[in-house]
Amino acid sequence: MIDRTKYQRIVWLASYPKSGNTWLRTFLDAYLLGKYDINNLVCSVSDDTSTRHAIGEGTDVRALPIDLQQMTRPMALLRLVLAFNANTPAEELPLFVKTHNANLVANGVALLPQQVTRATIHIVRDPRDVCISFAKHMGCDVDRAIDYMEDRYRCLKSDMERLTVGDFLSSWRNHCNSFTTSDLVNHKTFRYEDMINDGVETFCKMLTHAGIEPDRERVKKALEDVELSKLREKEEKEGFIEASPKNDGRFFGQGGSTWKEVLTPNQVRRIEKMAGPFMKRFGYETSIRRVA
């Protein structure tokens, strides 16, 4: 009988953009290796799977219609798992994969297939702060960023230079809903704000959920090493490959909450109308009593 569990190796690091995903990846390197290079994170990989390299037969899938591009994902992910199994003798070590894809079936294709999934760490952040960081990253104003977050068909654009195919985000609401109300195997949602305010406890829970027994002192040391202020310093000195040229080449922000100082009342109402039910579910207070 075939042991299917040996193919269920992926622990998804899933989030809407600008919600703490990259910070978590730097922590994993700092914790598991005792060091990290922001431009060469080795304990996790990005969900850049549907490339001409990953599917194995040489086709540049970016030239295909989006529905055909998405057909390449299952085979690309399987190839990723097979390569990981061949090169990673420790059965307990998961394959951490960062993704901004929603947990949806797009054009008949499951974007996060259960057959290769061990667990999912889903990070959610107050969407009022997400829109501010997203606006900076996209090089647009806040109202345009809210338009993006309301768009149920929103995709991240493919990267022609790095040969990647864009992730399917959908709207912030649909993205959050796809993880929090699904039957995704071994799923748990963590708040970005808890990563900031109760770091040791929250990151220990993340490791436990991934199947790694945490060492609290090592977690504390790793978090000190990847403080956001230190990540910004490294980015200033070394640059960062994920930085946006539309944001003066910067990626890492301050990490705190600024929406009360930045957003107008109308912008707050738009976001809360779009995202309110999930905001209340995760303890984000809203300024309007009823949300459509």
Side-chain angles (χ1 to χ4, degrees):
M1 186 173 179
I2 297 175
D3 179 12
R4 299 177 64 88
T5 61
K6 69 179 182 179
Y7 303 108
Q8 295 174 312
R9 300 298 297 273
I10 293 178
V11 172
W12 298 102
L13 310 178
S15 74
Y16 196 86
K18 309 308 293 181
S19 300
N21 205 316
T22 301
W23 182 31
L24 174 56
R25 294 185 66 201
T26 62
F27 163 80
L28 288 172
D29 272 36
Y31 178 81
L32 295 172
L33 300 178
K35 59 182 180 179
Y36 67 96
D37 177 349
I38 59 173
N39 289 303
N40 186 30
L41 297 173
V42 298
C43 292
S44 60
V45 295
S46 290
D47 187 17
D48 299 337
T49 54
S50 295
T51 69
R52 61 185 179 190
H53 303 298
I55 63 173
E57 53 82 55
T59 298
D60 186 347
V61 299
R62 297 166 303 161
L64 300 174
I66 186 63
D67 54 332
L68 296 182
Q69 290 180 25
Q70 288 166 340
M71 286 177 63
T72 70
R73 280 185 60 81
M75 181 54 67
L77 290 168
L78 178 57
R79 286 172 58 84
L80 189 66
V81 167
L82 293 175
F84 183 77
N85 283 345
N87 294 288
T88 308
E91 286 295 323
E92 69 277 6
L93 189 66
L95 169 57
F96 289 106
V97 180
K98 168 188 173 179
T99 187
H100 290 315
N101 279 290
N103 178 37
L104 295 172
V105 175
N107 297 303
V109 176
L111 299 179
L112 278 67
Q114 297 292 287
Q115 295 92 330
V116 294
T117 297
R118 175 181 293 186
T120 302
I121 294 172
H122 171 233
I123 306 172
V124 66
R125 183 184 185 186
D126 189 325
R128 293 166 296 197
D129 285 311
V130 170
C131 78
I132 296 170
S133 294
F134 199 42
K136 292 178 180 178
H137 188 71
M138 299 294 289
C140 65
D141 60 36
V142 169
D143 286 303
R144 184 60 174 158
I146 297 173
D147 290 341
Y148 288 158
M149 293 174 67
E150 291 175 331
D151 184 358
R152 61 185 297 189
Y153 300 108
R154 174 58 50 187
C155 291
L156 291 180
K157 291 183 178 179
S158 58
D159 188 324
M160 300 301 286
E161 186 173 321
R162 295 169 62 194
L163 307 178
T164 64
V165 173
D167 293 348
F168 178 56
L169 301 180
S170 192
S171 64
W172 186 93
R173 178 172 176 158
N174 283 353
H175 193 282
C176 190
N177 182 63
S178 75
F179 287 98
T180 56
T181 63
S182 73
D183 57 357
L184 193 64
V185 171
N186 201 20
H187 156 269
K188 190 166 186 176
T189 296
F190 297 87
R191 297 195 330 162
Y192 172 82
E193 291 76 14
D194 294 329
M195 294 165 66
I196 293 282
N197 298 320
D198 192 12
V200 173
E201 184 66 24
T202 303
F203 281 84
C204 279
K205 289 179 179 178
M206 288 176 163
L207 289 172
T208 299
H209 187 67
I212 298 173
E213 183 67 31
D215 180 318
R216 292 184 69 88
E217 288 304 312
R218 284 177 59 193
V219 169
K220 183 178 179 180
K221 173 63 167 58
L223 286 175
E224 290 172 353
D225 290 344
V226 299
E227 288 178 356
L228 291 174
S229 60
K230 294 180 180 179
L231 295 180
R232 290 195 301 273
E233 289 177 7
K234 282 183 173 289
E235 183 178 19
E236 288 178 7
K237 293 178 181 178
E238 305 167 17
F240 184 45
I241 57 175
E242 294 187 31
S244 171
K246 298 177 181 179
N247 186 28
D248 297 326
R250 293 193 299 268
F251 182 89
F252 295 104
Q254 299 296 321
S257 178
T258 61
W259 69 266
K260 292 181 180 179
E261 294 78 33
V262 175
L263 300 182
T264 67
N266 185 58
Q267 290 167 341
V268 172
R269 283 192 293 270
R270 284 186 65 192
I271 295 169
E272 292 182 357
K273 182 177 180 180
M274 176 268 295
F278 294 101
M279 294 174 67
K280 291 180 179 180
R281 176 173 180 172
F282 290 106
Y284 302 121
E285 293 185 2
T286 59
S287 59
I288 54 179
R289 293 185 178 182
R290 297 191 65 183
V291 181

